[in-house]
Amino acid sequence: MQQQRNSNICRLLAGIGLLFLSFQPLQAQDLVQVSGEFKQWHAVAVQVTCPVADCGEVKPQSDPNPFTDYRLRVTFTSEDASNVMDVPGFYAGDGNAAISESDSGNVWQVYFTPEQTGTWNYTVSFETGADLVLSTAAGTPLEPDGTTGTFSIEASDKTGNDFRSKGFLRHVNKSHFYFSGSDTPFLKNGAGSPENLLHYYQIHNTYQQDTIPVIPPHTFAPHLGNFNPGDPLWGPQKSKGTGLIGALNYLASLGVNSYYFVVHNTAANTLGQDTAVWPWLSPAEEDRDRFSVAKLAQWEMIFSHMDSLGISMNMVTQDRINQLDLDGGDLGRIRSLFYRELIARFGHHLGVVWNLGEENSATTEQIMDYANFIRGVDVYGHPIVSQANGTLIAHDRYYEPLLGFQNFEGASMQVGLVDFDSGETPSPPGKIHNAILKWVEASKAANQPWVVTLDEIGHWSDGIVPDGDPRDPTNRRARREGFWGTIMAGGAGSDWYYGSDPFEYNDIWVEDFSVREAFFQRTQAGTQMILDSGIPYWEMENHNELSTLENTWVLANEGEIYMVYSPFQEAFELKLPDGTYNILWYDAFNGGPLQEGTLLDVEVDTDSAWVSLGEPLGFEQDAVALVSLKRVSNVSNEEGANRGTQGPMLKQNYPNPVRQKTTIAFELPAAGQVDLNIYDMLGRQIKGITQGFLASGTHRYEVDLSTLSTGVYVYRLTVDGASYQHLLLRR
C-alpha cells in the first residue's frame, strides 16, 4: 500500500518555501485507511477521517449536516485504465458503528467491489458545501482531499453458492439476470416473508412508531440453532444477530437464493403502514435527511452475509401505503437522499435488485424519474424493477408505458390465486402463467426483454400456507400455478409470500421458516432438476401451442429440447418435427431423479407430427416431461447381436443409479477404433473414459462420477463409426 497525502496546508507551505515541524503531527495522522480481503468481487473499504480542526466534533445532528453537506467520492482506476469507477461515499460515524453502535464520529467511507484482478489506483475527493451530495458542482476541499494510492486485487477464492465466486447479478437484455463473472443465468427460488425482515430486536434504533396494531420485533428464536460459529455478529460484545443470521442460514440450506424485503415501510407522523423498517434517525419528517449510522452499518453486516450465502436482495424501497410519504411521491430532495444513501452504502453488494415499490401506483413519469436517478448514481448497474398493484388492469396501466424504457429491466409481479378482478375463487389455473407470459413476450417485442418474476402470490390473505394447512396441505396450487406456471412462461423465478393468515405464520409476524419447509424443498428440487439436467431454460421460449391440452405448458427450443409441465397428468400429445427423441419424466411432487416412463423414446419421420409421450410411472400428482433430440443414432444391443459376432455389445453400467463410482463394460468381437464418453441430455460431452485402438474381448472401466451433479446422462460407445448408448442415472 502506498499513499501520498497532499493537504491544502502542505500545498500552501510548499508554495511559499516553508515547512515547519509544528505541522508534522497533522501530516502524520492516518487520515485514509484502505481495508478488505483484496480479492475479486470482495468489498474494499476506504475510510476517510476529517480532522476536528476542519470538521469539528461531528454528530448526526451537526450543522453542517454530515449526510448532505460533505461529499466523499473515490475514483478507482484499473491498471490498464479500461475501468474507471467514481464511487459515492457516506457518513460512517466512528467507522465501526455496527460494533460500537455510535452514530457520531468524523469518518466517511466508500465501499468498492472490484471486478478485475490486478493493480487499482484510487484518488480521494472530499469536499463540503450545502447539499453537495446531490450536486455535481465543485465544493470546498477538505483534508484529505487529493490523496492517492494503490492496492492489488487477487482472484476470488470463493466457491459454490457464494456470490463472490460469480460476480454481480446484472440485466443483459435477456429474460434472466446473469452473473457478470461466470456469465451464467440466475433462476431464483426465494423467500418473500416476512417482508419486514429488518424489524429485528437486536438491530440498533429499530422500533415501531405506530403501535396499532402492535407488531413485535422479530427474534427468529426457532433458528438460534442454525447459527454457525464464525458467522457475523454485532454490538459492543459482538453478541447480537444470532437469530436473524441463523434464519438466513436455514433458508440457504433449503436452497433459497433470493429475499424480498422492504427498507422503508413507515410514514412520517404515523400516516401510513408501519412495520418498523426505516433508515433514518427517526421516521419524523425533520429527520428525513439524517440517517441512523449504526442501524445501517448493521444492515450492511446482514447483507454481506447474504452475499456469502448466495441470497440475492430484492430490495423494496417503498410500499403502496406510504408511497406518497417521500416528497409526495415525486423525486424531490428527500427521496433523492434516500436513494443515494442506499446506493452509497449497499450498491457494492453483488446480488442487489432495486425494487421501486410494492403494489406501486406511482405515475409513469415518477417511475422513470426514480429509475433515471438510481441509474445515474449506481456505478455498478444493478437491475431496476418494480411491482404493480395486484390486478391485471393495474398491470396494464403500470407496465405498458414502461416497455422499452432503457432504465427499467423487470416486472416484479403480484398475481393472485384468487381472481382480484372478478372476485372469483379460485382463479383460472393459468392466470399466473398467462400474466407472466404476457410481459415476457411484450418486453421482447419492445426490444428490451424484462426479467419477469412472481414476487407476491395471493390472495393477499393466503399466500403460501404452512405445510399441512387444510386449505391446501401441500401448497399444490402455489407449486403448480405459481412455481411451474412462472418458469414455463419464461419467467425467472419467484419470491414466496406468506399472506396474512394464519396470524402467527404470516407475512409480518412469522418467526419460524420451518413451517413451510416441505414447500421450499419441492420448489428447490424442481429448480435443481432444471439446473442439474443441463436444460438451457434461459434460451427456451414458451410454446404452449405445441400441446393439445390447455394448461399443459411447454417451454422449448423447437427441434432440440422440450420441457412440458403436466399439472393434472391428463393425456396429451406434443407436436414434434422430424427426429428421434428421448423421453424422461420428473416427479414434481416427490422430486428425485429423472425417470423413464411408458415410452422411452418417440420417432417422427415426417416434417412434424402430434405424438403421445406416454405417461410417467407411479407419480402421485404433477409431472414434468423432458423431451430431447437424440443427436446420434442409437443402435440397440439387440441389433448388434443380430449381426452375429460382427457387432459390439455395450452393457448397462453397474450400479445404476450411481452415487459415486460405476463400472461400464463392453465387448468387442474384433479390434477397432473406440471412443467411450459420457454426455448430458443436450449431447454435450461431460467426461471422457477411453479413446484409441483396442483389441477384441471384454473391456471394463470403473468411472468416478462423484463430481457430477445429480441427473440423467448418456454414456456412448463409438466403434469404427457405429454408436451405441445407454442412460445413466446419477443420484
Side-chain angles (χ1 to χ4, degrees):
M1 183 70 59
Q2 296 178 343
Q3 296 180 353
Q4 176 186 354
R5 299 179 177 84
N6 300 312
S7 70
N8 295 332
I9 296 175
C10 277
R11 287 193 293 266
L12 176 62
L13 294 176
I16 62 177
L18 296 174
L19 185 59
F20 295 104
L21 292 177
S22 59
F23 285 98
Q24 290 304 303
L26 177 63
Q27 295 308 300
Q29 291 182 35
D30 206 358
L31 300 181
V32 178
Q33 293 286 332
V34 183
S35 61
E37 292 191 52
F38 299 104
K39 293 182 175 69
Q40 186 181 26
W41 303 313
H42 293 59
V44 173
V46 178
Q47 286 193 347
V48 168
T49 299
C50 184
V52 174
D54 289 341
C55 294
E57 297 282 353
V58 183
K59 298 181 179 180
Q61 296 287 9
S62 293
D63 186 17
N65 184 333
F67 301 95
T68 65
D69 299 342
Y70 295 86
R71 184 178 66 198
L72 171 65
R73 300 190 70 89
V74 179
T75 302
F76 299 89
T77 306
S78 61
E79 189 172 12
D80 61 2
S82 64
N83 197 347
V84 179
M85 301 182 70
D86 190 22
V87 183
F90 56 91
Y91 175 58
D94 64 3
N96 192 35
I99 307 303
S100 69
E101 298 195 325
S102 170
D103 284 335
S104 300
N106 281 43
V107 176
W108 281 257
Q109 182 167 305
V110 159
Y111 281 121
F112 170 59
T113 300
E115 292 204 71
Q116 292 179 225
T117 58
T119 299
W120 284 83
N121 304 301
Y122 68 86
T123 302
V124 173
S125 171
F126 187 52
E127 301 170 300
T128 187
D131 262 6
L132 194 63
V133 297
L134 296 179
S135 172
T136 58
T140 301
L142 292 171
E143 184 78 23
D145 181 70
T147 296
T148 63
T150 64
F151 54 83
S152 182
I153 296 297
E154 300 176 355
S156 175
D157 60 349
K158 301 304 185 291
T159 59
N161 294 328
D162 194 322
F163 285 166
R164 291 171 296 176
S165 69
K166 302 177 181 181
F168 285 95
L169 203 58
R170 291 214 172 104
H171 182 256
V172 293
N173 212 39
K174 296 182 180 180
S175 297
H176 294 81
F177 296 137
Y178 276 68
F179 288 104
S180 64
S182 61
D183 195 31
T184 55
F186 181 60
L187 185 61
K188 79 171 180 176
N189 182 40
S193 298
E195 66 179 30
N196 64 341
L197 176 75
L198 299 173
H199 179 32
Y200 180 65
Y201 82 114
Q202 289 182 328
I203 293 178
H204 179 73
N205 193 27
T206 294
Y207 59 87
Q208 185 184 5
Q209 61 156 341
D210 182 358
T211 57
I212 303 176
V214 172
I215 301 174
H218 294 295
T219 66
F220 300 115
H223 296 292
L224 291 172
N226 300 115
F227 180 85
N228 298 316
D231 284 342
L233 292 173
W234 53 84
Q237 282 75 48
K238 293 187 179 181
S239 60
K240 297 181 179 181
T242 311
L244 176 52
I245 296 299
L248 292 172
N249 290 345
Y250 174 77
L251 288 172
S253 75
L254 296 179
V256 168
N257 61 4
S258 176
Y259 203 116
Y260 174 103
F261 61 94
V262 293
V263 292
H264 166 37
N265 208 352
T266 189
N269 303 319
T270 71
L271 298 176
Q273 182 175 351
D274 179 26
T275 63
V277 180
W278 33 268
W280 304 283
L281 280 177
S282 82
E285 284 188 280
E286 60 268 22
D287 285 333
R288 291 297 179 88
D289 61 358
R290 299 173 189 264
F291 296 86
S292 181
V293 173
K295 173 190 285 190
L296 297 186
Q298 290 171 359
W299 286 12
E300 165 64 23
M301 294 186 71
I302 296 165
F303 299 161
S304 294
H305 192 59
M306 292 172 73
D307 269 348
S308 72
L309 294 173
I311 298 178
S312 171
M313 291 174 278
N314 192 347
M315 196 177 293
V316 185
T317 57
Q318 65 182 12
D319 189 280
R320 175 179 60 87
I321 296 175
N322 67 353
Q323 70 184 40
L324 301 180
D325 183 49
L326 303 182
D327 301 316
D330 291 333
L331 182 72
R333 176 176 179 269
I334 296 301
R335 183 179 293 274
S336 297
L337 289 171
F338 170 66
Y339 288 151
R340 187 199 176 279
E341 191 75 12
L342 292 178
I343 294 165
R345 283 185 170 273
F346 309 128
H348 67 283
H349 287 290
L350 301 165
V352 169
V353 176
W354 303 118
N355 194 320
L356 300 180
E358 178 177 278
E359 299 179 357
N360 212 322
S361 59
T363 67
T364 301
E365 181 180 8
Q366 288 171 333
I367 290 296
M368 289 183 172
D369 285 345
Y370 304 165
N372 288 338
F373 180 86
I374 290 171
R375 183 64 78 237
V377 177
D378 178 14
V379 298
Y380 297 105
H382 292 295
I384 299 172
V385 306
S386 189
Q387 187 186 101
N389 212 340
T391 68
L392 300 183
I393 294 174
H395 295 170
D396 291 345
R397 181 174 60 248
Y398 189 82
Y399 289 127
E400 184 73 34
L402 295 172
L403 290 170
F405 172 48
Q406 63 179 353
N407 288 335
F408 187 85
E409 291 125 346
S412 169
M413 299 288 286
Q414 181 191 67
V415 191
L417 293 172
V418 172
D419 194 326
F420 284 107
D421 299 324
S422 67
E424 178 187 355
T425 307
S427 63
K431 180 183 178 184
I432 293 174
H433 174 80
N434 293 335
I436 299 290
L437 179 60
K438 176 175 182 175
W439 298 107
V440 169
E441 293 185 338
S443 61
K444 285 182 179 178
N447 295 318
Q448 188 183 10
W450 286 350
V451 176
V452 184
T453 57
L454 177 64
D455 286 344
E456 186 165 344
I457 191 171
H459 189 265
W460 62 268
S461 64
D462 293 335
I464 58 169
V465 297
D467 299 331
D469 189 296
R471 290 171 293 180
D472 189 356
T474 66
N475 270 298
R476 182 178 179 182
R477 291 203 67 200
R479 184 182 72 254
R480 182 182 64 196
E481 300 171 34
F483 178 77
W484 289 107
T486 296
I487 290 174
M488 301 304 295
S494 308
D495 284 338
W496 297 105
Y497 164 76
Y498 292 177
S500 66
D501 184 35
F503 178 82
E504 66 272 28
Y505 299 128
N506 76 0
D507 177 45
I508 303 298
W509 276 267
V510 64
E511 295 283 278
D512 186 356
F513 289 101
S514 70
V515 298
R516 293 174 174 86
E517 180 175 295
F519 174 81
F520 279 108
Q521 287 173 334
R522 290 190 177 103
T523 55
Q524 167 58 11
T527 303
Q528 203 61 45
M529 180 277 293
I530 293 171
L531 300 177
D532 289 345
S533 300
I535 298 170
Y537 62 90
W538 60 92
E539 298 174 350
M540 299 165 72
E541 296 183 342
N542 179 268
H543 285 284
N544 291 343
E545 74 280 1
L546 300 180
S547 170
T548 57
L549 187 64
E550 185 180 6
N551 294 322
T552 292
W553 302 314
V554 182
L555 199 65
N557 276 347
E558 288 193 85
E560 296 285 334
I561 188 167
Y562 302 76
M563 186 164 64
V564 187
Y565 178 66
S566 176
F568 305 105
Q569 290 195 59
E570 297 177 89
F572 68 93
E573 292 184 338
L574 186 68
K575 189 176 184 181
L576 295 172
D578 179 44
T580 301
Y581 299 86
N582 287 315
I583 303 170
L584 292 167
W585 294 88
Y586 172 72
D587 186 337
F589 180 70
N590 289 309
L594 295 171
Q595 304 177 37
E596 296 176 342
T598 57
L599 290 178
L600 301 183
D601 54 39
V602 63
E603 184 174 357
V604 176
D605 56 9
T606 60
D607 287 343
S608 65
W610 293 96
V611 297
S612 171
L613 303 181
E615 59 187 51
L617 299 172
F619 286 15
E620 296 178 51
Q621 295 191 21
D622 37 345
V624 179
L626 179 61
V627 182
S628 57
L629 179 70
K630 292 185 179 181
R631 296 181 178 271
V632 299
S633 61
N634 183 19
V635 180
S636 71
N637 291 320
E638 290 76 15
E639 290 172 337
N642 289 338
R643 293 198 297 269
T645 59
Q646 300 304 309
M649 174 68 74
L650 177 64
K651 298 181 179 182
Q652 183 68 54
N653 66 299
Y654 181 84
N656 189 44
V658 183
R659 295 200 179 274
Q660 286 191 325
K661 295 181 179 181
T662 192
T663 297
I664 297 175
F666 57 89
E667 295 179 5
L668 295 180
Q673 185 67 33
V674 170
D675 268 321
L676 179 62
N677 304 295
I678 297 176
Y679 300 84
D680 66 16
M681 294 305 295
L682 298 179
R684 297 174 296 196
Q685 182 176 327
I686 300 300
K687 189 178 186 69
I689 301 173
T690 188
Q691 181 181 40
F693 191 83
L694 297 182
S696 62
T698 300
H699 299 266
R700 289 184 176 86
Y701 296 88
E702 185 179 62
V703 187
D704 186 350
L705 302 180
S706 58
T707 60
L708 292 189
S709 301
T710 58
V712 179
Y713 298 87
V714 172
Y715 63 94
R716 181 176 303 136
L717 173 69
T718 302
V719 182
D720 295 332
S723 294
Y724 313 83
Q725 66 185 34
H726 279 301
L727 293 179
L728 176 155
L729 304 179
R730 166 78 171 94
R731 287 187 179 174

